[in-house]
């Protein structure tokens, strides 16, 4: 029940559970709420990942903290739209299991070229994953913000996104207030000026600004990372979903809740409307609670590779790649897979731990040195450079004992060929640069 409630709340699927209570309220209620929902005609183009599991669904969920209108006070000097929470909900084709995968907003990823609000295109570059939402939404255009975010997630995960939904600050507050607040139990007092939050330790009911501050607070709790905030947000939405199903029995409270949600939710055009959201909720509601898995993309602090970067995290490979592949092919991770990821997270293989010999197989002078400079910038330890016979394909060659290290290197340069060899130099992997090598990878 509690984990189910957490998914329902974030996907807007709680609508479906609660719509049963609106049946006698009159058609005007239905049409008003239905008309509140804004559907977006996304321009994603054709350069997208293949659909490897027809029938399954990947829904990108964004908690948006746009600084427009009533939200302006939440970010001094911020003029673009922001994304505070980002996750993909994967619903299996057989509808018997689902996985909610959270992306830390500080994930250092490649942001592809995106259309800005003024019609110009941004250049591909690396930055925090949540920047994608603000690039597309630099003039307040939620459609372009959603498009750039989807492109970024697809580019870095290989997952094809089927649907998009977002909810902003005002809608979140309205939902909480309609429930007369949510109980939270912080172990320590929290004083966070950025989140507009000042609260004592111990169990208490929060609503309105305090509820919003609690899920947004970051720097004043624990180690100040986004990872801790993800956990608090998930716990809060778990409680919200459970209380919504228990408390919303009066028509007035139910209407206030649904009105706040529908006025603040944005979806792709195929998901826009009470009926599609109801169908989504009915699908999720039928999944057994022990087959709803909640994960965060495996990661570690990028400072381990680039000592000057104290603000971002890098995804942990090969675990992140395996996770994306499992979801793309509709393979259930489950409790055993979640435990395996937790164990691997204790000792990640960082880029700095990978020793790389770089060879030039292009026939053009200087390519090994160029590649070596790029690898050092990513944190890899370059042991030597040299020349190799000409090749048309960039290849990573490795001894059997260094398969994981080779996968870590390959993760920064997608499309690179991996080859295990008994003749490979012990203790290091060899990157042979071909004409297809992309020096801007990582």
């Amino acid at each position: 029940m509690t984990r189910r409630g957490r998914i329902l709340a974030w996907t807007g699927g709680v609508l479906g559970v609660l719509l049963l209570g609106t049946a006698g309220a009159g058609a005007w209620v239905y049409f008003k709420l239905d008309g509140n929902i804004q559907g977006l005609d996304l321009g994603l183009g054709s350069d997208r990942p293949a659909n490897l599991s027809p029938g399954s669904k990947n829904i990108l969920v964004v908690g948006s903290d746009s600084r427009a209108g009533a939200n302006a006070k939440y970010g001094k000097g911020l003029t673009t739209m922001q994304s505070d929470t980002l996750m993909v909900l994967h619903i299996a084709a057989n509808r018997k299991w689902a996985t909610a995968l959270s992306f830390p907003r500080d994930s250092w990823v490649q942001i592809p070229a995106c259309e800005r609000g003024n019609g110009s295109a941004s250049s591909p570059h690396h930055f925090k994953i949540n920047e994608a939402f603000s690039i597309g939404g630099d003039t307040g255009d939620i459609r372009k913000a959603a498009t750039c975010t989807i492109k970024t997630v697809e580019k870095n995960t290989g997952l094809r996104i089927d649907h998009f939904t977002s909810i902003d600050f005002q809608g979140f507050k309205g939902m909480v207030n309609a429930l007369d607040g949510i109980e939270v139990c912080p172990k320590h007092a929290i004083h966070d000026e950025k989140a507009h939050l000042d609260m004592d330790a111990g169990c208490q009911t929060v609503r309105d600004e305090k509820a919003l501050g609690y899920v947004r607070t970051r720097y004043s709790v624990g180690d100040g990372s986004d990872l801790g905030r993800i956990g608090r947000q998930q716990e809060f939405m778990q409680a919200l979903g459970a209380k919504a199903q228990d408390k919303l029995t009066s028509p007035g409270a139910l209407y206030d809740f649904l009105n706040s949600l529908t006025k603040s939710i944005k979806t792709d055009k195929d998901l826009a409307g009470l009926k599609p959201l109801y169908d989504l909720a009915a699908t999720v509601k039928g999944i057994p609670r022990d087959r709803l898995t909640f994960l965060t993309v495996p990661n570690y602090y990028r400072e381990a590779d680039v000592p000057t970067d104290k603000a971002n995290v890098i995804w942990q490979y090969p675990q992140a790649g395996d996770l994306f592949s499992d979801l793309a092919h509709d393979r259930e991770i489950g409790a055993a897979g979640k435990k395996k990821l937790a164990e691997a997270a204790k000792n990640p293989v960082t880029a700095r731990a990978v020793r790389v010999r770089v060879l030039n197989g292009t026939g053009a002078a200087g390519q090994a040195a160029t590649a070596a400079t790029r690898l050092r910038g990513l944190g890899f330890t370059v042991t030597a450079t040299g020349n190799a016979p000409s090749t048309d394909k960039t290849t990573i060659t490795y001894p059997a004992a260094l398969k994981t290290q080779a996968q870590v290197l390959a993760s920064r340069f997608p499309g690179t060929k991996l080859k295990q060899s008994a003749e490979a130099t012990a203790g290091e992997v060899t990157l042979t640069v071909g004409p297809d090598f992309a020096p801007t990878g990582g």
Side-chain angles (χ1 to χ4, degrees):
M1 167 65 175
T2 53
R3 285 189 287 179
R4 181 181 304 155
R6 183 162 43 178
I7 274 192
L8 292 175
W10 265 118
T11 62
V14 70
L15 273 170
V17 178
L18 300 176
L19 274 175
L20 299 176
T22 67
W28 73 272
V29 173
Y30 179 94
F31 287 114
K32 183 179 189 306
L33 296 176
D34 188 73
N36 283 343
I37 302 170
Q38 181 180 345
L40 309 174
D41 189 5
L42 305 176
L44 296 172
S46 58
D47 184 19
R48 304 182 62 197
N51 183 358
L52 302 178
S53 57
S56 67
K57 296 293 183 184
N58 289 317
I59 304 165
L60 184 64
V61 183
V62 174
S64 166
D65 56 344
S66 165
R67 269 40 177 198
N71 291 330
K73 62 185 174 183
Y74 299 120
K76 182 179 180 181
L78 293 175
T79 58
T80 64
M81 304 180 78
Q82 309 289 316
S83 62
D84 221 38
T85 301
L86 186 66
M87 71 163 62
V88 167
L89 171 64
H90 176 89
I91 302 176
N94 64 11
R95 303 302 189 256
K96 294 182 178 180
W97 60 272
T99 295
L101 180 63
S102 293
F103 298 84
R105 61 179 291 178
D106 295 338
S107 297
W108 184 261
V109 300
Q110 183 173 355
I111 310 292
C114 291
E115 184 182 4
R116 297 184 184 275
N118 63 6
S120 66
S122 64
S123 299
H125 63 285
H126 286 80
F127 206 72
K128 299 176 189 290
I129 195 169
N130 72 324
E131 189 198 36
F133 200 78
S134 60
I135 288 177
D138 61 351
T139 60
D141 189 332
I142 180 65
R143 182 186 67 84
K144 291 180 180 179
T147 298
C148 189
T149 302
I150 292 172
K151 286 184 174 182
T152 299
V153 171
E154 289 188 339
K155 172 73 175 179
N156 288 277
T157 68
L159 295 171
R160 187 180 179 93
I161 301 301
D162 300 294
H163 295 295
F164 170 89
T165 183
S166 72
I167 185 169
D168 70 15
F169 281 168
Q170 298 302 317
F172 174 85
K173 289 194 301 181
M175 291 164 62
V176 172
N177 291 346
L179 296 172
D180 292 329
I182 299 295
E183 184 180 59
V184 298
C185 299
K187 295 181 179 179
H188 305 283
I190 304 174
H191 305 288
D192 190 331
E193 292 184 3
K194 290 186 176 181
H196 300 274
L197 182 64
D198 189 0
M199 63 188 300
D200 297 327
C203 293
Q204 55 201 284
T205 297
V206 295
R207 54 176 57 83
D208 205 63
E209 300 295 335
K210 185 165 284 190
L212 182 58
Y214 182 77
V215 296
R216 293 187 65 236
T217 188
R218 169 180 179 176
Y219 298 104
S220 300
V221 183
D223 62 2
S225 74
D226 189 46
L227 306 180
R229 175 163 57 180
I230 286 175
R232 286 189 298 277
Q233 289 174 342
Q234 290 181 341
E235 290 173 1
F236 193 96
M237 297 312 296
Q238 170 186 341
L240 186 150
K243 189 169 183 180
Q245 295 190 38
D246 290 340
K247 183 176 177 61
L248 291 182
T249 55
S250 73
L254 176 60
Y255 177 80
D256 289 344
F257 184 90
L258 293 179
N259 193 42
S260 293
L261 178 57
T262 55
K263 284 196 300 185
S264 300
I265 197 171
K266 310 291 189 299
T267 73
D268 62 278
K269 62 179 182 179
D270 292 331
L271 199 58
L274 294 183
K275 178 61 166 60
L277 289 173
Y278 177 91
D279 292 342
L280 171 63
T283 296
V284 177
K285 187 173 182 291
I287 295 173
R289 71 180 66 180
D290 61 349
R291 298 189 69 180
L292 296 178
T293 304
F294 295 85
L295 299 170
T296 298
V297 177
N299 64 86
Y300 61 90
Y301 291 108
R302 190 166 179 258
E303 183 181 6
D305 294 333
V306 183
T308 56
D309 185 352
K310 303 183 185 301
N312 299 299
V313 298
I314 197 81
W315 292 348
Q316 179 187 353
Y317 283 86
Q319 289 78 16
D322 292 343
L323 176 57
F324 301 147
S325 179
D326 284 341
L327 294 181
H329 290 88
D330 204 28
R331 294 190 291 259
E332 186 173 9
I333 290 88
K338 187 173 182 178
K339 182 178 180 180
K340 184 177 179 181
L341 288 171
E343 287 296 318
K346 296 177 181 178
N347 294 291
V349 177
T350 66
R352 191 162 295 279
V354 181
R355 294 166 53 82
V356 187
R357 183 169 64 125
V358 184
L359 301 179
N360 181 7
T362 67
Q367 295 306 301
T370 298
T373 298
R374 177 59 183 154
L375 263 62
R376 291 190 184 99
L378 294 173
F380 290 96
T381 301
V382 177
T383 60
T385 60
N387 294 313
S390 295
T391 180
D392 60 356
K393 180 71 176 176
T394 299
T395 304
I396 296 173
T397 307
Y398 63 93
L402 297 182
K403 180 179 180 179
T404 297
Q405 285 79 355
Q407 290 173 319
V408 170
L409 178 59
S411 71
R412 307 303 179 86
F413 302 96
T416 303
K417 181 180 178 181
L418 280 167
K419 180 181 178 181
Q420 181 178 317
S421 173
E423 299 177 357
T425 304
E428 63 184 24
V429 298
T430 299
L431 174 68
T432 302
V433 178
D436 61 327
F437 181 73
T440 59

PDB file of all heavy atoms in Angstrom, residues 17 45 82 86-87 94 109 114 119 129 138 161 166 170 174-175 181 193 214 219 262 328 359 362 372 389 418:
ATOM      1  N   VAL A  17      -7.526   6.587  -8.668  1.00  0.00           N
ATOM      2  CA  VAL A  17      -8.104   6.012  -7.472  1.00  0.00           C
ATOM      3  C   VAL A  17      -9.220   6.905  -6.945  1.00  0.00           C
ATOM      4  O   VAL A  17     -10.288   6.432  -6.542  1.00  0.00           O
ATOM      5  CB  VAL A  17      -7.015   5.846  -6.390  1.00  0.00           C
ATOM      6  CG1 VAL A  17      -7.609   5.282  -5.113  1.00  0.00           C
ATOM      7  CG2 VAL A  17      -5.916   4.922  -6.906  1.00  0.00           C
ATOM      8  N   GLY A  45      11.427  14.390 -32.757  1.00  0.00           N
ATOM      9  CA  GLY A  45      12.138  13.984 -33.955  1.00  0.00           C
ATOM     10  C   GLY A  45      12.236  12.474 -34.082  1.00  0.00           C
ATOM     11  O   GLY A  45      11.574  11.709 -33.367  1.00  0.00           O
ATOM     12  N   GLN A  82      13.003  25.268 -13.792  1.00  0.00           N
ATOM     13  CA  GLN A  82      13.917  24.355 -13.124  1.00  0.00           C
ATOM     14  C   GLN A  82      13.220  23.009 -12.890  1.00  0.00           C
ATOM     15  O   GLN A  82      11.997  22.951 -12.774  1.00  0.00           O
ATOM     16  CB  GLN A  82      14.349  24.927 -11.762  1.00  0.00           C
ATOM     17  CG  GLN A  82      14.870  26.346 -11.805  1.00  0.00           C
ATOM     18  CD  GLN A  82      16.228  26.441 -12.457  1.00  0.00           C
ATOM     19  OE1 GLN A  82      17.114  25.640 -12.195  1.00  0.00           O
ATOM     20  NE2 GLN A  82      16.394  27.427 -13.317  1.00  0.00           N
ATOM     21  N   LEU A  86      13.441  14.166 -10.788  1.00  0.00           N
ATOM     22  CA  LEU A  86      13.423  13.522 -12.093  1.00  0.00           C
ATOM     23  C   LEU A  86      13.455  12.016 -11.903  1.00  0.00           C
ATOM     24  O   LEU A  86      14.337  11.487 -11.229  1.00  0.00           O
ATOM     25  CB  LEU A  86      14.631  13.980 -12.914  1.00  0.00           C
ATOM     26  CG  LEU A  86      14.727  13.526 -14.370  1.00  0.00           C
ATOM     27  CD1 LEU A  86      13.598  14.141 -15.188  1.00  0.00           C
ATOM     28  CD2 LEU A  86      16.081  13.915 -14.957  1.00  0.00           C
ATOM     29  N   MET A  87      12.475  11.321 -12.480  1.00  0.00           N
ATOM     30  CA  MET A  87      12.473   9.864 -12.398  1.00  0.00           C
ATOM     31  C   MET A  87      11.776   9.271 -13.614  1.00  0.00           C
ATOM     32  O   MET A  87      11.014   9.943 -14.307  1.00  0.00           O
ATOM     33  CB  MET A  87      11.798   9.362 -11.124  1.00  0.00           C
ATOM     34  CG  MET A  87      10.296   9.547 -11.079  1.00  0.00           C
ATOM     35  SD  MET A  87       9.489   8.537  -9.810  1.00  0.00           S
ATOM     36  CE  MET A  87      10.238   9.199  -8.332  1.00  0.00           C
ATOM     37  N   ASN A  94       3.738  -6.964 -19.217  1.00  0.00           N
ATOM     38  CA  ASN A  94       2.734  -7.885 -18.668  1.00  0.00           C
ATOM     39  C   ASN A  94       1.959  -7.286 -17.501  1.00  0.00           C
ATOM     40  O   ASN A  94       1.072  -7.929 -16.937  1.00  0.00           O
ATOM     41  CB  ASN A  94       3.377  -9.211 -18.246  1.00  0.00           C
ATOM     42  CG  ASN A  94       4.386  -9.050 -17.119  1.00  0.00           C
ATOM     43  OD1 ASN A  94       4.492  -7.992 -16.487  1.00  0.00           O
ATOM     44  ND2 ASN A  94       5.143 -10.117 -16.855  1.00  0.00           N
ATOM     45  N   VAL A 109      26.094  14.581 -17.004  1.00  0.00           N
ATOM     46  CA  VAL A 109      25.740  13.841 -18.206  1.00  0.00           C
ATOM     47  C   VAL A 109      25.929  14.704 -19.438  1.00  0.00           C
ATOM     48  O   VAL A 109      26.171  15.913 -19.344  1.00  0.00           O
ATOM     49  CB  VAL A 109      24.273  13.353 -18.156  1.00  0.00           C
ATOM     50  CG1 VAL A 109      24.030  12.437 -16.960  1.00  0.00           C
ATOM     51  CG2 VAL A 109      23.312  14.542 -18.129  1.00  0.00           C
ATOM     52  N   CYS A 114      19.544  21.215 -28.011  1.00  0.00           N
ATOM     53  CA  CYS A 114      18.113  21.397 -27.770  1.00  0.00           C
ATOM     54  C   CYS A 114      17.660  22.756 -28.280  1.00  0.00           C
ATOM     55  O   CYS A 114      18.456  23.710 -28.338  1.00  0.00           O
ATOM     56  CB  CYS A 114      17.800  21.313 -26.270  1.00  0.00           C
ATOM     57  SG  CYS A 114      17.997  19.675 -25.528  1.00  0.00           S
ATOM     58  N   GLY A 119      14.091  29.865 -30.175  1.00  0.00           N
ATOM     59  CA  GLY A 119      14.225  29.156 -31.442  1.00  0.00           C
ATOM     60  C   GLY A 119      15.637  28.762 -31.798  1.00  0.00           C
ATOM     61  O   GLY A 119      15.842  27.951 -32.712  1.00  0.00           O
ATOM     62  N   ILE A 129      22.183  17.041 -15.055  1.00  0.00           N
ATOM     63  CA  ILE A 129      21.076  16.568 -15.876  1.00  0.00           C
ATOM     64  C   ILE A 129      19.870  17.504 -15.812  1.00  0.00           C
ATOM     65  O   ILE A 129      19.126  17.632 -16.785  1.00  0.00           O
ATOM     66  CB  ILE A 129      20.680  15.130 -15.466  1.00  0.00           C
ATOM     67  CG1 ILE A 129      19.782  14.499 -16.538  1.00  0.00           C
ATOM     68  CG2 ILE A 129      20.006  15.106 -14.088  1.00  0.00           C
ATOM     69  CD1 ILE A 129      19.555  13.005 -16.341  1.00  0.00           C
ATOM     70  N   ASP A 138      13.938  28.130 -21.032  1.00  0.00           N
ATOM     71  CA  ASP A 138      14.564  29.408 -20.666  1.00  0.00           C
ATOM     72  C   ASP A 138      13.635  30.596 -20.851  1.00  0.00           C
ATOM     73  O   ASP A 138      13.896  31.680 -20.321  1.00  0.00           O
ATOM     74  CB  ASP A 138      15.879  29.620 -21.434  1.00  0.00           C
ATOM     75  CG  ASP A 138      15.698  29.655 -22.944  1.00  0.00           C
ATOM     76  OD1 ASP A 138      14.595  29.349 -23.426  1.00  0.00           O
ATOM     77  OD2 ASP A 138      16.684  29.987 -23.645  1.00  0.00           O
ATOM     78  N   ILE A 161      11.396   6.986 -24.050  1.00  0.00           N
ATOM     79  CA  ILE A 161      10.362   7.539 -23.169  1.00  0.00           C
ATOM     80  C   ILE A 161       9.032   7.587 -23.913  1.00  0.00           C
ATOM     81  O   ILE A 161       8.940   8.154 -25.004  1.00  0.00           O
ATOM     82  CB  ILE A 161      10.760   8.949 -22.681  1.00  0.00           C
ATOM     83  CG1 ILE A 161      12.103   8.898 -21.925  1.00  0.00           C
ATOM     84  CG2 ILE A 161       9.657   9.527 -21.798  1.00  0.00           C
ATOM     85  CD1 ILE A 161      12.107   7.985 -20.718  1.00  0.00           C
ATOM     86  N   SER A 166       4.599  16.344 -15.435  1.00  0.00           N
ATOM     87  CA  SER A 166       5.270  17.183 -14.444  1.00  0.00           C
ATOM     88  C   SER A 166       4.223  17.856 -13.569  1.00  0.00           C
ATOM     89  O   SER A 166       3.069  18.026 -13.958  1.00  0.00           O
ATOM     90  CB  SER A 166       6.133  18.259 -15.119  1.00  0.00           C
ATOM     91  OG  SER A 166       5.326  19.261 -15.711  1.00  0.00           O
ATOM     92  N   GLN A 170       3.103  24.989  -6.810  1.00  0.00           N
ATOM     93  CA  GLN A 170       1.783  25.389  -6.348  1.00  0.00           C
ATOM     94  C   GLN A 170       0.830  24.200  -6.285  1.00  0.00           C
ATOM     95  O   GLN A 170       0.030  24.070  -5.356  1.00  0.00           O
ATOM     96  CB  GLN A 170       1.212  26.480  -7.260  1.00  0.00           C
ATOM     97  CG  GLN A 170       2.024  27.764  -7.275  1.00  0.00           C
ATOM     98  CD  GLN A 170       2.180  28.375  -5.886  1.00  0.00           C
ATOM     99  OE1 GLN A 170       1.225  28.421  -5.123  1.00  0.00           O
ATOM    100  NE2 GLN A 170       3.379  28.822  -5.551  1.00  0.00           N
ATOM    101  N   GLY A 174      -1.042  22.677  -2.912  1.00  0.00           N
ATOM    102  CA  GLY A 174      -2.487  22.517  -2.881  1.00  0.00           C
ATOM    103  C   GLY A 174      -2.900  21.104  -2.518  1.00  0.00           C
ATOM    104  O   GLY A 174      -3.869  20.894  -1.766  1.00  0.00           O
ATOM    105  N   MET A 175      -2.187  20.121  -3.009  1.00  0.00           N
ATOM    106  CA  MET A 175      -2.475  18.724  -2.682  1.00  0.00           C
ATOM    107  C   MET A 175      -2.282  18.465  -1.194  1.00  0.00           C
ATOM    108  O   MET A 175      -3.116  17.845  -0.531  1.00  0.00           O
ATOM    109  CB  MET A 175      -1.573  17.807  -3.508  1.00  0.00           C
ATOM    110  CG  MET A 175      -1.885  17.784  -4.998  1.00  0.00           C
ATOM    111  SD  MET A 175      -0.516  17.078  -5.972  1.00  0.00           S
ATOM    112  CE  MET A 175      -0.442  15.422  -5.303  1.00  0.00           C
ATOM    113  N   GLY A 181      -2.370  18.571   5.614  1.00  0.00           N
ATOM    114  CA  GLY A 181      -0.967  18.392   5.951  1.00  0.00           C
ATOM    115  C   GLY A 181      -0.527  16.938   5.989  1.00  0.00           C
ATOM    116  O   GLY A 181      -1.337  16.013   5.985  1.00  0.00           O
ATOM    117  N   GLU A 193      17.622  28.505   4.770  1.00  0.00           N
ATOM    118  CA  GLU A 193      17.104  29.747   4.190  1.00  0.00           C
ATOM    119  C   GLU A 193      16.702  29.563   2.734  1.00  0.00           C
ATOM    120  O   GLU A 193      15.707  30.132   2.279  1.00  0.00           O
ATOM    121  CB  GLU A 193      18.165  30.854   4.304  1.00  0.00           C
ATOM    122  CG  GLU A 193      18.434  31.291   5.733  1.00  0.00           C
ATOM    123  CD  GLU A 193      19.419  32.442   5.790  1.00  0.00           C
ATOM    124  OE1 GLU A 193      19.832  32.916   4.711  1.00  0.00           O
ATOM    125  OE2 GLU A 193      19.773  32.870   6.905  1.00  0.00           O
ATOM    126  N   TYR A 214      10.259  21.308   3.191  1.00  0.00           N
ATOM    127  CA  TYR A 214      10.771  20.022   3.667  1.00  0.00           C
ATOM    128  C   TYR A 214      11.251  19.139   2.509  1.00  0.00           C
ATOM    129  O   TYR A 214      12.299  18.505   2.611  1.00  0.00           O
ATOM    130  CB  TYR A 214       9.700  19.291   4.462  1.00  0.00           C
ATOM    131  CG  TYR A 214      10.176  17.971   5.030  1.00  0.00           C
ATOM    132  CD1 TYR A 214      10.998  17.933   6.154  1.00  0.00           C
ATOM    133  CD2 TYR A 214       9.822  16.775   4.437  1.00  0.00           C
ATOM    134  CE1 TYR A 214      11.454  16.724   6.664  1.00  0.00           C
ATOM    135  CE2 TYR A 214      10.270  15.563   4.930  1.00  0.00           C
ATOM    136  CZ  TYR A 214      11.086  15.540   6.050  1.00  0.00           C
ATOM    137  OH  TYR A 214      11.530  14.341   6.538  1.00  0.00           O
ATOM    138  N   TYR A 219      20.822  21.470   1.623  1.00  0.00           N
ATOM    139  CA  TYR A 219      22.133  21.799   2.174  1.00  0.00           C
ATOM    140  C   TYR A 219      22.180  21.771   3.695  1.00  0.00           C
ATOM    141  O   TYR A 219      23.262  21.684   4.281  1.00  0.00           O
ATOM    142  CB  TYR A 219      22.574  23.177   1.662  1.00  0.00           C
ATOM    143  CG  TYR A 219      22.713  23.220   0.166  1.00  0.00           C
ATOM    144  CD1 TYR A 219      21.753  23.837  -0.631  1.00  0.00           C
ATOM    145  CD2 TYR A 219      23.789  22.605  -0.473  1.00  0.00           C
ATOM    146  CE1 TYR A 219      21.868  23.862  -2.014  1.00  0.00           C
ATOM    147  CE2 TYR A 219      23.920  22.625  -1.853  1.00  0.00           C
ATOM    148  CZ  TYR A 219      22.945  23.251  -2.618  1.00  0.00           C
ATOM    149  OH  TYR A 219      23.057  23.263  -3.985  1.00  0.00           O
ATOM    150  N   THR A 262      -4.731  18.858 -10.962  1.00  0.00           N
ATOM    151  CA  THR A 262      -4.957  18.978 -12.404  1.00  0.00           C
ATOM    152  C   THR A 262      -4.560  20.341 -12.948  1.00  0.00           C
ATOM    153  O   THR A 262      -4.174  20.454 -14.106  1.00  0.00           O
ATOM    154  CB  THR A 262      -6.437  18.681 -12.756  1.00  0.00           C
ATOM    155  OG1 THR A 262      -7.295  19.536 -11.986  1.00  0.00           O
ATOM    156  CG2 THR A 262      -6.780  17.230 -12.468  1.00  0.00           C
ATOM    157  N   ALA A 328      15.181  -1.395 -20.586  1.00  0.00           N
ATOM    158  CA  ALA A 328      14.905  -1.274 -22.020  1.00  0.00           C
ATOM    159  C   ALA A 328      14.369  -2.580 -22.596  1.00  0.00           C
ATOM    160  O   ALA A 328      13.522  -2.579 -23.495  1.00  0.00           O
ATOM    161  CB  ALA A 328      16.168  -0.850 -22.762  1.00  0.00           C
ATOM    162  N   LEU A 359      46.653   4.245 -27.839  1.00  0.00           N
ATOM    163  CA  LEU A 359      47.378   4.049 -29.094  1.00  0.00           C
ATOM    164  C   LEU A 359      46.636   4.730 -30.242  1.00  0.00           C
ATOM    165  O   LEU A 359      45.401   4.745 -30.276  1.00  0.00           O
ATOM    166  CB  LEU A 359      47.532   2.556 -29.398  1.00  0.00           C
ATOM    167  CG  LEU A 359      48.268   1.717 -28.348  1.00  0.00           C
ATOM    168  CD1 LEU A 359      48.331   0.259 -28.781  1.00  0.00           C
ATOM    169  CD2 LEU A 359      49.673   2.270 -28.101  1.00  0.00           C
ATOM    170  N   THR A 362      44.737   5.844 -36.220  1.00  0.00           N
ATOM    171  CA  THR A 362      44.110   6.623 -37.296  1.00  0.00           C
ATOM    172  C   THR A 362      45.045   6.880 -38.467  1.00  0.00           C
ATOM    173  O   THR A 362      44.590   7.184 -39.569  1.00  0.00           O
ATOM    174  CB  THR A 362      43.629   7.986 -36.773  1.00  0.00           C
ATOM    175  OG1 THR A 362      44.770   8.792 -36.420  1.00  0.00           O
ATOM    176  CG2 THR A 362      42.725   7.821 -35.565  1.00  0.00           C
ATOM    177  N   ALA A 372      44.491  11.152 -25.045  1.00  0.00           N
ATOM    178  CA  ALA A 372      45.030  11.039 -23.687  1.00  0.00           C
ATOM    179  C   ALA A 372      44.661  12.259 -22.845  1.00  0.00           C
ATOM    180  O   ALA A 372      44.322  12.136 -21.664  1.00  0.00           O
ATOM    181  CB  ALA A 372      46.543  10.862 -23.740  1.00  0.00           C
ATOM    182  N   PRO A 389      48.742  -0.234 -35.620  1.00  0.00           N
ATOM    183  CA  PRO A 389      48.331  -0.373 -37.029  1.00  0.00           C
ATOM    184  C   PRO A 389      46.993   0.321 -37.270  1.00  0.00           C
ATOM    185  O   PRO A 389      46.151   0.411 -36.379  1.00  0.00           O
ATOM    186  CB  PRO A 389      48.213  -1.892 -37.201  1.00  0.00           C
ATOM    187  CG  PRO A 389      49.135  -2.461 -36.171  1.00  0.00           C
ATOM    188  CD  PRO A 389      49.037  -1.537 -35.001  1.00  0.00           C
ATOM    189  N   LEU A 418      34.522  -3.356 -27.588  1.00  0.00           N
ATOM    190  CA  LEU A 418      35.236  -3.993 -26.489  1.00  0.00           C
ATOM    191  C   LEU A 418      35.753  -5.354 -26.936  1.00  0.00           C
ATOM    192  O   LEU A 418      35.022  -6.125 -27.565  1.00  0.00           O
ATOM    193  CB  LEU A 418      34.307  -4.174 -25.278  1.00  0.00           C
ATOM    194  CG  LEU A 418      34.064  -2.952 -24.388  1.00  0.00           C
ATOM    195  CD1 LEU A 418      32.908  -3.207 -23.447  1.00  0.00           C
ATOM    196  CD2 LEU A 418      35.318  -2.611 -23.605  1.00  0.00           C
TER     197      LEU A 418
END
